[in-house]
Amino acid sequence: MKVNGKHYRSLWWNQNDHVLEIIDQRWLPHDFREQQVATMQDFADAISEMRVRGAPLIGATAAYGMALAMAEDSSTENLEKAWTFLEKTRPTAVNLRWALNRCRQHLQTLPETERAASALKLAHEIADEDVEINRNIGVNGLQLIQEIAKRKPAGEPVQLLTHCNAGWLATVDWGTATSPMFQAHDANIDLHVWVDETRPRNQGALTAWELGSHGVPHTYITDNAGGHLMQHGQVDMVIVGTDRTSRRGDVCNKIGTYLKALAAKDNNVPFYVALPSPTIDWSVSDGVAEIPIEQRNLRETTHIQGKTADGSIDWVQVSPDGTAGGNPAFDVTPNHLVTGLITERGICAASEDALTALFPELA
Ligand code: MRU
């Protein structure tokens, strides 16, 4: 997508320096900083410190990490070492393990002399596939927005609500939940998006920045406002992303998503999840019981980052000195609260039968 008129992906390969370039998302939306990722430690830090974040982007980054490992030492021992080193960087988003497994399975079959070139080619493929998956999620989600638009009285926009950032910054391009929004806006559909701030890390600010850059009308709201807006008929549909979805359609996403789903159910607001197929964990059935929830640094809750009056970026403390913080980073929305899953192959019910019918070769 575009930043100040220039097209960007959230990561790209620097052919000259033979390194990965990323956008260091810790400084957004206030400062746009590019960064080179050149060592294995850089890769681990980029993922664990959330310079890159969002399930699909974490997966693509890890694939480039495997490529770097193979360029340094293409032995099977180093392949396993790199897999283990990168796998522990973040626990919840399944795309990380999906990408690492895909790389490992492919590279294991090759002679060591071919691994470095092939690993880089595979990382490019994973990144390109992600773009195409998300573009197709947008095509399918657009139909839902079009149907709502047809029913709206003239002059009233389609009102969407989203949580966290399932935007292009969370993927390689397009985003998952935002892809239908961008495509609806490009199709001249009148729409407006309520953007949850998404404490503690305020990824909603990234979503607002993306929507603003693309000209999509939106309003930044506190996390607690969604239920009230739904009660008053101000939300036509919720679309969120996912970091891991179980085979029966339980959706693990950024903390607070579950509360939106409960409010949506109580108010008959359709609750859709944009789901790229690499985010399905076919080994998990009961998402609530089985998906590991990342517990992040307590400082993320007791402090908040923002732009100060002089334009610099700083952290301030919001809780009393010495107060303990608690910071589960994700929650799971059970499938019975999910109206439908918007995948790259079409929209389906949040159920094992429906997911299996759409992705028989993966199930
Ligand atoms: O902790 P993050 O920022 O990596 O969390 C990921 C997310 O942004 C969301 O949970 C998102 O909705 C799913 S990823 C497309």
Side-chain angles (χ1 to χ4, degrees):
M1 304 302 283
K2 288 200 167 147
V3 180
N4 298 327
K6 182 180 168 193
H7 180 264
Y8 275 89
R9 283 183 172 187
S10 58
L11 51 65
W12 61 99
W13 184 248
N14 181 329
Q15 201 64 44
N16 297 328
D17 297 348
H18 215 69
V19 290
L20 186 69
E21 305 269 0
I22 61 166
I23 301 163
D24 185 344
Q25 299 189 23
R26 293 173 303 171
W27 308 104
L28 287 173
H30 306 300
D31 198 3
F32 186 85
R33 299 187 191 177
E34 298 172 19
Q35 193 192 25
Q36 293 197 337
V37 184
T39 67
M40 290 304 287
Q41 191 60 50
D42 285 350
F43 272 95
D45 291 345
I47 296 171
S48 61
E49 293 174 2
M50 293 175 66
R51 300 172 196 191
V52 290
R53 41 149 297 284
L57 180 59
I58 292 170
T61 305
Y64 281 101
M66 292 297 272
L68 173 69
M70 291 299 91
E72 288 178 348
D73 170 1
S74 62
S75 66
T76 299
E77 191 191 353
N78 197 44
L79 179 61
E80 292 305 320
K81 196 171 138 202
W83 189 99
T84 307
F85 183 67
L86 292 169
E87 200 267 341
K88 60 176 187 243
T89 49
R90 288 196 74 188
T92 299
V94 76
N95 305 57
L96 175 69
R97 200 150 34 90
W98 169 84
L100 290 173
N101 284 344
R102 183 165 161 188
C103 293
R104 179 165 67 178
Q105 274 158 21
H106 173 68
L107 295 167
Q108 273 168 344
T109 63
L110 299 177
E112 289 185 13
T113 50
E114 291 176 21
R115 285 180 180 170
S118 195
L120 184 58
K121 186 163 165 278
L122 181 55
H124 292 329
E125 274 169 28
I126 286 173
D128 289 346
E129 277 173 25
D130 181 64
V131 177
E132 196 49 22
I133 285 172
N134 299 331
R135 198 187 61 74
N136 282 315
I137 285 174
V139 169
N140 295 327
L142 171 61
Q143 293 168 16
L144 294 171
I145 298 176
Q146 278 168 332
E147 281 162 24
I148 296 170
K150 277 189 219 142
R151 299 197 300 266
K152 295 288 285 191
E156 282 191 23
V158 174
Q159 298 277 8
L160 304 176
L161 182 142
T162 194
H163 191 70
C164 197
N165 173 258
W168 69 267
L169 289 165
T171 66
V172 179
D173 207 349
W174 285 106
T176 57
T178 55
S179 185
M181 299 172 192
F182 291 135
Q183 296 195 35
H185 178 75
D186 293 348
N188 290 319
I189 293 175
D190 189 9
L191 82 156
H192 167 265
V193 185
W194 301 105
V195 180
D196 289 351
E197 65 173 347
T198 318
R199 275 285 281 152
R201 290 185 69 103
N202 300 333
Q203 287 96 329
L206 304 177
T207 304
W209 181 73
E210 289 188 22
L211 294 174
S213 302
H214 202 80
V216 182
H218 62 279
T219 303
Y220 190 64
I221 54 174
T222 62
D223 290 325
N224 298 324
H228 164 77
L229 294 171
M230 290 185 218
Q231 274 179 330
H232 290 270
Q234 294 184 70
V235 181
D236 295 309
M237 173 165 63
V238 178
I239 312 181
V240 297
T242 170
D243 298 84
R244 190 187 298 216
T245 289
S246 76
R247 68 170 182 272
R248 72 179 192 195
D250 299 329
V251 172
C252 182
N253 193 50
K254 182 53 57 184
I255 192 79
T257 303
Y258 172 48
L259 289 176
K260 300 301 152 198
L262 286 172
K265 185 78 167 182
D266 197 42
N267 292 284
N268 292 320
V269 172
F271 183 92
Y272 279 91
V273 176
L275 169 66
S277 58
T279 307
I280 305 168
D281 187 342
W282 297 96
S283 73
V284 166
S285 178
D286 179 343
V288 176
E290 297 174 56
I291 295 176
I293 301 296
E294 179 177 16
Q295 304 290 326
R296 287 195 64 85
N297 192 328
L298 305 183
R299 194 180 145 86
E300 291 180 352
T301 59
T302 57
H303 291 67
I304 193 164
Q305 186 194 43
K307 187 163 73 168
T308 64
D310 70 6
S312 60
I313 298 169
D314 210 347
W315 287 84
V316 293
Q317 182 179 321
V318 286
S319 60
D321 289 344
T323 298
N327 194 8
F330 299 93
D331 61 26
V332 176
T333 299
N335 61 0
H336 65 91
L337 297 177
V338 177
T339 309
L341 303 169
I342 309 170
T343 79
E344 69 268 28
R345 291 198 186 158
I347 298 167
C348 73
S351 72
E352 184 162 352
D353 285 350
L355 277 173
T356 303
L358 265 190
F359 299 100
E361 80 285 15
L362 301 180

